[in-house]
Amino acid sequence: MEKKMFYVSIGYCGSLVRTEGNRKYGSGVRGRANKVIPVYCTEEELKTVATAVGKGLLADSCTVSLNEADAWDSYVEPYAVLWDCM
């Protein structure tokens, strides 16, 4: 399988919710895309790699997009939702 670039959106819940990620990185604006991390992997490795990135950054929401512009836009449906705080 060929490798390609995916963009993992890391989000944190609002300021009224006290989570480990909020305490360390601050609260989210809309619960998505406070950080966008590019990952280069195959489709089969994507879930494992993106989950590791999200857990490493204490994310409250973790989604995957196919391009960086979509990763920052909270109105675009993501390619994959790993978990969401909403």
Side-chain angles (χ1 to χ4, degrees):
M1 200 75 188
E2 101 180 47
K3 290 187 175 188
K4 59 182 179 177
M5 190 67 76
F6 295 96
Y7 296 88
V8 180
S9 300
I10 302 300
Y12 301 96
C13 291
S15 58
L16 298 178
V17 181
R18 308 253 320 142
T19 65
E20 293 295 319
N22 278 357
R23 285 194 283 274
K24 186 167 183 179
Y25 297 109
S27 62
V29 177
R30 289 190 203 141
R32 183 169 165 213
N34 287 345
K35 298 178 190 304
V36 174
I37 312 297
V39 295
Y40 188 68
C41 62
T42 65
E43 189 88 30
E44 288 79 25
E45 298 170 329
L46 178 61
K47 186 173 182 178
T48 304
V49 172
T51 300
V53 169
K55 287 185 178 184
L57 292 173
L58 304 172
D60 295 323
S61 67
C62 186
T63 60
V64 177
S65 299
L66 296 177
N67 62 56
E68 190 171 5
D70 289 350
W72 287 106
D73 189 353
S74 61
Y75 296 107
V76 174
E77 188 171 335
Y79 174 72
V81 176
L82 299 175
W83 67 87
D84 194 358
C85 63
M86 298 301 163

